[in-house]
Amino acid sequence: YLFFDKLFRQTEKTGKISLDFNGTCSKDGISIMEIETERVGISKQLKIKKIIFRDSRNELFYTVDGFFGIICEYDKETGNEIKRKYICDGYTSESIVGVKFERFNEYGFPTKVSYFDNEDKPCKHIDGNYGVQIEYDNYGNESCRWFLDLQGKKTPIYNGVYGLVSLYDNLDRVIQQYFVDKNGERVFDDYGFHGIKINYNEVSNE
């Protein structure tokens, strides 16, 4: 947190900074991140406005999902992020290019998220839902993600799966995830699975 706070503050004068990994790259393969920031909300919080990814040759770096950057928009009063668009090439009007954060809890965490296409219209996820409703535990970890239809109501994505529950250890690491039906009861997917368990070694590697 202190590193990024110091990094953001370097953008105060120009609103921009280029973060170079000095010839190496992140685990995703990104070597350079060009970051633009802005002051948002009544409290004038310093937040990311735009990020562009580049490789070691300074050419645009495309992630596995096909985008090479992100643009963020924020609420003028609260400073909460309300829209995130993924910068990409060749996407059709039926492709998801971003998400809208429509509702928040008292701590500023998004509780309802919807998908939009290149024309800024609602867009269906490959799983069949148009958005998600998110619940959190007392520590701010996502505890359940419900799938929503175009009207914002809970909907099954397949085989009666309405949501995904996540459990955490005392270090806030995900240790278990499982599918649930509309009543919150465990349910099996088409392949006979109803969840996963995750174990970590002494240095927190999965």
Side-chain angles (χ1 to χ4, degrees):
Y1 172 79
L2 292 176
F3 168 75
F4 283 103
D5 182 63
K6 183 177 181 181
L7 180 66
F8 288 173
R9 291 185 183 283
Q10 293 181 34
T11 68
E12 287 280 21
K13 292 184 178 180
T14 63
K16 299 180 180 180
I17 191 171
S18 180
L19 180 60
D20 193 325
F21 293 103
N22 295 320
T24 61
C25 60
S26 69
K27 65 179 182 180
D28 299 316
I30 300 171
S31 294
I32 301 171
M33 288 195 297
E34 297 174 354
I35 304 172
E36 292 184 30
T37 61
E38 64 177 336
R39 291 284 180 181
V40 300
I42 295 177
S43 61
K44 300 300 180 182
Q45 306 170 63
L46 188 62
K47 293 191 175 183
I48 292 176
K49 178 181 180 181
K50 183 179 181 180
I51 301 180
I52 297 295
F53 307 130
R54 295 188 180 277
D55 61 21
S56 58
R57 297 171 296 178
N58 203 36
E59 297 180 356
L60 293 176
F61 176 89
Y62 290 79
T63 69
V64 293
D65 294 314
F67 63 92
F68 58 86
I70 301 172
I71 297 176
C72 302
E73 294 182 18
Y74 302 89
D75 184 91
K76 294 181 179 179
E77 294 186 0
T78 65
N80 291 330
E81 184 181 359
I82 57 175
K83 188 175 183 180
R84 181 182 303 172
K85 184 174 183 179
Y86 301 100
I87 310 172
C88 43
D89 296 326
Y91 275 36
T92 67
S93 60
E94 298 180 352
S95 300
I96 293 175
V97 300
V99 295
K100 294 180 180 179
F101 305 95
E102 300 181 13
R103 296 178 188 167
F104 301 84
N105 63 15
E106 59 184 309
Y107 303 107
F109 296 152
T111 57
K112 183 181 179 183
V113 180
S114 61
Y115 311 123
F116 65 89
D117 63 18
N118 201 43
E119 298 179 354
D120 206 35
K121 297 179 180 178
C123 191
K124 182 187 291 187
H125 190 277
I126 189 173
D127 288 332
N129 59 306
Y130 284 83
V132 294
Q133 176 181 311
I134 305 172
E135 298 176 0
Y136 300 88
D137 62 21
N138 293 331
Y139 301 98
N141 298 310
E142 181 180 315
S143 59
C144 187
R145 173 173 292 228
W146 298 99
F147 305 109
L148 305 178
D149 62 16
L150 185 58
Q151 285 71 44
K153 298 180 179 180
K154 294 179 182 178
T155 186
I157 52 175
Y158 54 84
N159 199 36
V161 174
Y162 276 75
L164 177 69
V165 170
S166 299
L167 302 179
Y168 303 80
D169 62 13
N170 58 359
L171 296 178
D172 293 328
R173 300 176 300 189
V174 177
I175 56 173
Q176 189 175 162
Q177 291 183 314
Y178 57 87
F179 300 119
V180 293
D181 61 18
K182 60 182 178 181
N183 298 314
E185 300 294 330
R186 293 187 183 225
V187 65
F188 290 87
D189 67 8
D190 291 335
Y191 301 100
F193 297 103
H194 66 79
I196 60 171
K197 287 186 177 180
I198 303 174
N199 296 313
Y200 300 88
N201 60 23
E202 294 179 354
V203 291
S204 295
N205 291 321
E206 183 177 331

